[in-house]
Amino acid sequence: MNFSQDRFIEDNSWNGRERNLLFMNLGKGRFSDAARVMGCDEVEESRGVAYADLDRDGRLDIVIANNDARPTIYMNRIPGTGNWCRFRFRGKPESESPTSNRDALGTRVVATVLQNGNEQRLVREATAGSGYAAQSQSGVHFGLGVDGLLTNLEITWPSGNVAELGQAELAQVLNGNWIIEEGQESKLKAWPAASPVLAGE
């Protein structure tokens, strides 16, 4: 058998050089590998993966760190993905009352989303690390779907403080980036605009 044949190596990796996978969430704990149909099943010795909205269009893009090779970037071009919103959190450690660390790491967010008359709860957590050999964009991202609306946001800060924002306060957040400060949750601040990471995209 010719062990140098690409086909054999790709399908029978002994050193980490394998075909990448991309799992689609089908709901109810079920997932399906969609890498081949999405065109992102290339064979690399990949080590880390991170997600970020590189071109600030509300759709999360993927960056893969490959061993001894250039990183792979997959720009999300799926049409009709619907509404979205993104939040960053700021604690106030200088305050005398119990507060969170400055970057509010560990903040737990529960979002209630209304779509086609049905409510769904989505849970996110602000973290400093998202995996091996990669770091995703900071903050929490909510994909709300077509015609999806954010009706409630429950924020549990690392300090133990809990705040809740209702539909009236969240009416402005669709398809935007926002900063929420501990103790001033109702005063949402627009995330300063910045040039896309990938110029020309």
Side-chain angles (χ1 to χ4, degrees), residues 165 169 172 179-181 183-190:
L165 300 177
E169 297 163 301
Q172 62 179 322
I179 295 174
I180 299 179
E181 294 187 354
Q184 302 182 49
E185 288 84 1
S186 61
K187 299 179 181 179
L188 286 81
K189 298 180 180 179

Side-chain angles (χ1 to χ4, degrees), residues 18 33 49 51-52 55 67-68 90 102 149 172 180 197:
E18 298 176 351
D33 180 18
V49 61
Y51 58 84
D55 52 1
N67 192 32
D68 294 328
R90 288 181 180 170
R102 179 62 178 171
L149 298 175
Q172 62 179 322
I180 299 179
V197 175

